[in-house]
Amino acid sequence: MHAMQYTFTLPADYPMDVIRERVARTGHLLDDWPGLGLKAYLVRERGKDGSPVNQYAPFYLWHTVEGMNSFLWDGAFQRPTDDFGRPAVRQWTGLAYEEGDAAGSPARVAVVRRRPVPDGVPLSEVAADAVRETGRSAAVDGVLLAAAVVDTACWELVHFSLHAGEAPEEVEGEVFQVLHLSAPGRGLLTRGRQW
């Protein structure tokens, strides 16, 4: 499993309905994309759910690298780049993936939590903790899925979860509204530990 995210931080007075209309018009285009586990079309708005910014920030889980590369290099990624500029595309290697009790429900909210991989702790312990935390996250009532991924260039661990309702108060991280979920290969994402 590979994860990918890019963000477009928009002006404070940007009409976020423009993004909602865009996703309503074009979100279905990835509903059958080969190699895509899922794409969550995420937004957060300044002043809501603790967000300091307006942001469009899609998050992807890929079950093939070929699907990810096809998206980036064969034209689909060109559309948002033409409209908003070319963003940095973050990529992470998968550590764990689990389905939750609300797996069949529509996704309403996503939570993305980032933290540095601590120095002085064996990497095997960090990875094992990430796997356990993914399982705990997926076991929370109303969770569709949870994943843990890592960027080994900057040693950043990211926990991602989708929720059928509001994000639980005890969940830490950035809270996003899910406008659409394309999930053609969600069933092909390997559950549990990724090695």
Side-chain angles (χ1 to χ4, degrees):
M1 178 180 71
H2 300 276
M4 183 177 87
Q5 186 180 35
Y6 49 88
T7 59
F8 297 105
T9 300
L10 304 164
D13 61 349
Y14 190 86
M16 293 303 284
D17 284 342
V18 170
I19 302 298
R20 285 184 178 79
E21 290 166 9
R22 176 191 184 91
V23 171
R25 191 176 64 255
T26 65
H28 71 280
L29 295 175
L30 293 186
D31 285 353
D32 60 357
W33 194 271
L36 177 63
L38 65 91
K39 174 183 180 179
Y41 295 76
L42 306 181
V43 295
R44 59 185 187 146
E45 293 184 62
R46 185 175 182 218
K48 293 184 181 179
D49 294 316
S51 178
V53 296
N54 286 331
Q55 205 167 54
Y56 175 49
F59 196 97
Y60 302 74
L61 293 176
W62 298 93
H63 65 86
T64 72
V65 173
E66 293 83 3
M68 180 175 68
N69 286 340
S70 176
F71 173 80
L72 289 170
W73 303 111
D74 281 345
F77 182 59
Q78 193 64 48
R79 286 188 298 272
T81 297
D82 288 346
D83 292 344
F84 299 107
R86 187 184 308 153
V89 179
R90 301 287 313 274
Q91 295 182 31
W92 299 272
T93 300
L95 291 177
Y97 175 81
E98 293 292 348
E99 295 275 327
D101 70 345
S105 303
R108 182 173 176 197
V109 168
V111 177
V112 179
R113 183 168 61 94
R114 305 166 197 283
R115 63 183 170 96
V117 173
D119 290 328
V121 178
L123 295 177
S124 60
E125 288 181 24
V126 172
D129 285 346
V131 171
R132 285 190 291 273
E133 186 170 340
T134 301
R136 286 191 299 271
S137 294
V140 172
D141 190 42
V143 170
L144 280 71
L145 60 89
V149 295
V150 65
D151 178 345
T152 56
C154 64
W155 294 105
E156 176 188 57
L157 184 62
V158 175
H159 289 275
F160 172 76
S161 57
L162 289 177
H163 303 257
E166 297 295 324
E169 289 183 21
E170 66 273 9
V171 172
E172 297 176 20
E174 296 172 339
V175 177
F176 294 87
Q177 179 186 6
V178 180
L179 299 182
H180 180 73
L181 186 67
S182 293
R186 182 171 163 188
L188 298 173
L189 294 169
T190 303
R191 292 182 70 167
R193 170 179 116 146
Q194 302 291 303
W195 71 96

